[in-house]
Amino acid sequence: QVRLVDSGGASVQAGGSLRLSCTYSGFDPDDYYCLAWFRQAPGKLREAVAMLDNHPSTLYKNSLKGRVTISQDNSKNTLYLQVNNLRPDDTAMYYCAAKNDGFCYSSYFDVGSGTQFTYWGQGTQVTVSS
């Protein structure tokens, strides 16, 4: 059973940076997987922020390219999301997600997406004040 634990959210000033972490476990070494970060702000649909797989490929939400970086440390079984130059509209609950039945696809960034992902972290809150 895959398990994900998110952490690293905080309240920060606009212009600051954060690194979110997601510790994962339960993958089979032969799995083809996709790991992703999603976020959901109050009153808004969930949106994909960034994702990577073991093809390997890395994909980003177009509007966030240049401000976010997704990475993975296999030795620590940890997924990261670095977010720089934070803005108030980055305020949201951030979730890591995983699927172990295939790679990532750009269609996974469609608004309201995430249904392809089987496993979810509990979420970590990011609040950005101006």
Side-chain angles (χ1 to χ4, degrees):
Q1 180 76 6
V2 174
R3 185 167 181 259
L4 308 173
V5 180
D6 308 326
S7 63
S11 294
V12 298
Q13 296 274 346
S17 297
L18 276 178
R19 188 176 77 162
L20 307 181
S21 300
C22 172
T23 303
Y24 52 84
S25 60
F27 284 105
D28 186 285
D30 293 329
D31 282 345
Y32 297 115
Y33 63 76
C34 174
L35 301 174
W37 286 99
F38 285 80
R39 67 184 184 183
Q40 188 165 20
K44 294 188 177 181
L45 293 174
R46 181 175 59 200
E47 61 178 6
V49 174
M51 52 188 73
L52 59 75
D53 60 31
N54 57 341
H55 184 264
S57 298
T58 304
L59 302 172
Y60 292 96
K61 180 178 174 64
N62 286 334
S63 61
L64 295 175
K65 285 181 181 178
R67 285 205 303 125
V68 301
T69 303
I70 190 171
S71 61
Q72 178 184 28
D73 185 337
N74 285 320
S75 69
K76 297 181 179 179
N77 284 357
T78 301
L79 180 73
Y80 300 103
L81 182 72
Q82 177 74 33
V83 188
N84 297 323
N85 193 21
L86 281 156
R87 308 189 308 212
D89 61 1
D90 292 318
T91 295
M93 186 72 80
Y94 285 70
Y95 300 89
C96 69
K99 60 190 297 289
N100 59 349
D101 59 354
F103 299 133
C104 307
Y105 294 93
S106 58
S107 60
Y108 293 174
F109 286 85
D110 292 345
V111 173
S113 64
T115 56
Q116 303 90 349
F117 291 81
T118 308
Y119 306 101
W120 292 83
Q122 80 285 3
T124 188
Q125 178 68 40
V126 173
T127 303
V128 184
S129 57
S130 56

